[in-house]
């Protein structure tokens, strides 16, 4: 992860400081741990973003909303079809003031849930002790009780991508968004079907059919005649001739053999080598393994 962050420092020309926990501190404890980095004495508010969601990030609009209401904290909420699976945010629709939180309601109280994007005033840090703490259960309800917590409805898509299947769904939503807003970033040509994003350093062989909903990372080599659909191909992967990958995630620096067939939410860890003509039906393979026999039903390969 640190190497990954250093790559972003170079490409974006920014300084990234990492605050590291020695034990899990929940969703609020890490803010207390990083207090000196978050509060520079200027009184400026700061963003807190959950890293396991993908969405649109209207951060400038959020700043404007935060300044307008003058409260202590702003949270982004998103509308869902089945609110009973989540903690629901009940709010005043006229001004966004959060009234209360209802965990997995059995009766309808609203359809907006916490989207994991926050804008907090430095004084919020005074509420957080240096211990494992939940910002959603221990901090936000107190701010809401003082009528100083406000919610802004997130425009556009949102997806929790903490699970592999949801990760690929998040990719589909992201690519749909690119199609509407920045179609020039998507791959074009007879090789590609639907929404596909390909890193400029990747190489695609002749006779491939790629898409829909595919992401191909840095330095990948996709040999001739390969079929890819609804999948994520991470950095440095080689997919050999006539392999077929659908509905799966291929981790960094993997090699997929000729005529191999990978499907049904197969997840390959880093540097997995799949031999020629192997079939994987929902296998979850830990890093640095070589797969020489087919995986006929979903299982974990350690």
């Amino acid at each position: 992860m640190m190497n990954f962050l250093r790559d972003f420092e170079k490409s974006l020309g920014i300084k990234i400081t990492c605050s590291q926990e020695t034990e899990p501190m929940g969703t609020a404890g890490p803010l207390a741990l990083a207090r000196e980095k978050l509060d520079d004495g200027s009184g400026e508010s700061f963003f807190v973003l959950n890293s396991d969601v993908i969405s649109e990030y209207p951060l400038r609009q959020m700043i404007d909303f935060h300044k307008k209401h003058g409260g202590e904290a702003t949270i982004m909420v998103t509308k869902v079809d089945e609110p009973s699976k989540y903690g629901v945010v009940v709010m005043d629709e006229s001004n966004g003031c959060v009234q209360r939180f209802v965990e997995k309601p059995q009766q309808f109280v609203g359809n907006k849930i916490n989207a994991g994007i926050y804008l907090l005033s430095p004084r919020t840090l005074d509420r957080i002790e240096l211990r494992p703490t939940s910002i959603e259960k221990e901090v936000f309800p107190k701010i809401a009780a003082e009528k100083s917590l406000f919610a802004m409805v997130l425009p556009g898509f949102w997806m929790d991508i903490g699970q592999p299947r949801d990760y690929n769904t998040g990719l589909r939503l992201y690519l749909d968004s690119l199609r509407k807003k920045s179609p020039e970033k998507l791959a074009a040509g007879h090789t590609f079907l639907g929404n596909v994003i390909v890193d400029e350093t990747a190489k695609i062989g002749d006779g491939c059919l790629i898409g829909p909903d595919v992401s191909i990372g840095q330095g990948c080599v996709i040999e001739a005649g390969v079929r890819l659909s609804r999948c994520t191909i991470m950095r440095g992967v080689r997919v050999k001739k006539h392999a077929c990958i659908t509905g799966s995630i291929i981790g960094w620096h993997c090699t997929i053999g000729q005529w191999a067939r990978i499907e049904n939410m197969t997840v390959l860890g880093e540097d997995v080598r799949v031999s020629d003509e192997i079939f994987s039906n929902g296998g979850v393979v830990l890093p640095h393994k070589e797969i020489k026999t087919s995986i006929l039903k979903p299982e974990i390969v350690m």
Side-chain angles (χ1 to χ4, degrees):
M1 180 176 162
M2 295 306 295
N3 289 338
F4 185 76
L5 293 178
R6 277 192 278 271
D7 289 345
F8 268 92
E9 280 188 323
K10 292 176 187 173
S11 64
L12 298 175
I14 60 174
K15 171 66 176 169
I16 298 176
T17 303
C18 189
S19 173
Q20 195 165 350
E21 302 163 62
T22 54
E23 62 171 317
M25 297 285 282
T27 52
L31 301 180
L33 190 65
R35 179 177 185 131
E36 292 182 2
K37 298 178 177 68
L38 296 171
D39 184 5
D40 60 2
S42 68
E44 282 285 315
S45 297
F46 56 90
F47 286 104
V48 178
L49 311 175
N50 285 1
S51 61
D52 60 352
V53 300
I54 187 167
S55 70
E56 296 181 25
Y57 290 92
L59 302 182
R60 290 192 186 280
Q61 296 98 303
M62 197 173 181
I63 290 172
D64 293 340
F65 178 73
H66 185 70
K67 289 179 176 177
K68 183 179 178 181
H69 68 64
E72 180 178 331
T74 299
I75 66 173
M76 197 76 82
V77 296
T78 185
K79 295 178 182 178
V80 292
D81 294 330
E82 293 185 55
S84 61
K85 292 164 45 178
Y86 304 92
V88 172
V89 180
V90 181
M91 55 189 274
D92 184 333
E93 298 293 338
S94 65
N95 61 9
C97 185
V98 175
Q99 298 166 339
R100 68 188 197 278
F101 298 87
V102 182
E103 190 63 31
K104 296 182 179 177
Q106 297 307 303
Q107 294 181 317
F108 184 84
V109 294
N111 65 345
K112 299 178 185 71
I113 67 168
N114 182 348
I117 303 170
Y118 316 134
L119 185 53
L120 309 179
S121 304
R123 64 181 183 273
T124 302
L125 296 171
D126 296 334
R127 300 176 182 270
I128 304 171
E129 298 176 23
L130 188 57
R131 61 176 177 82
T133 319
S134 167
I135 197 167
E136 299 87 357
K137 294 178 181 177
E138 298 179 60
V139 180
F140 286 159
K142 293 177 182 176
I143 304 174
E146 297 172 13
K147 300 194 182 323
S148 197
L149 179 66
F150 289 78
M152 174 180 164
V153 179
L154 176 71
F157 74 97
W158 179 91
M159 188 72 197
D160 181 324
I161 55 172
Q163 299 295 324
R165 193 176 300 277
D166 295 335
Y167 183 93
N168 274 356
T169 301
L171 171 65
R172 175 178 60 78
L173 294 172
Y174 171 66
L175 294 176
D176 285 345
S177 177
L178 278 186
R179 173 66 66 189
K180 295 170 188 168
K181 296 188 174 183
S182 305
E184 70 281 358
K185 293 182 179 179
L186 296 174
H190 65 275
T191 298
F192 304 104
L193 181 68
N195 297 334
V196 177
I197 189 165
V198 180
D199 188 88
E200 60 185 9
T201 61
K203 296 178 180 177
I204 310 290
D206 294 333
C208 293
L209 183 59
I210 298 173
D213 305 324
V214 173
S215 168
I216 299 175
Q218 266 180 304
C220 289
V221 177
I222 311 298
E223 295 185 2
V226 165
R227 176 71 176 108
L228 305 176
S229 69
R230 302 191 315 280
C231 61
T232 300
I233 311 295
M234 293 186 175
R235 180 170 55 186
V237 169
R238 177 179 286 272
V239 183
K240 294 187 177 180
K241 294 177 182 177
H242 306 294
C244 177
I245 303 172
T246 181
S248 297
I249 298 174
I250 310 301
W252 307 281
H253 307 293
C254 288
T255 300
I256 309 298
Q258 297 183 46
W259 295 100
R261 186 173 162 193
I262 310 293
E263 62 182 45
N264 191 24
M265 212 55 254
T266 290
V267 180
L268 304 185
E270 183 176 12
D271 183 36
V272 169
R273 295 175 299 285
V274 177
S275 298
D276 293 350
E277 301 180 17
I278 289 296
F279 172 54
S280 175
N281 174 24
V284 176
V285 184
L286 274 64
H288 312 298
K289 301 294 178 188
E290 186 168 5
I291 304 300
K292 295 182 177 180
T293 57
S294 290
I295 302 170
L296 300 179
K297 64 182 190 301
E299 62 178 285
I300 298 173
V301 178
M302 303 180 69

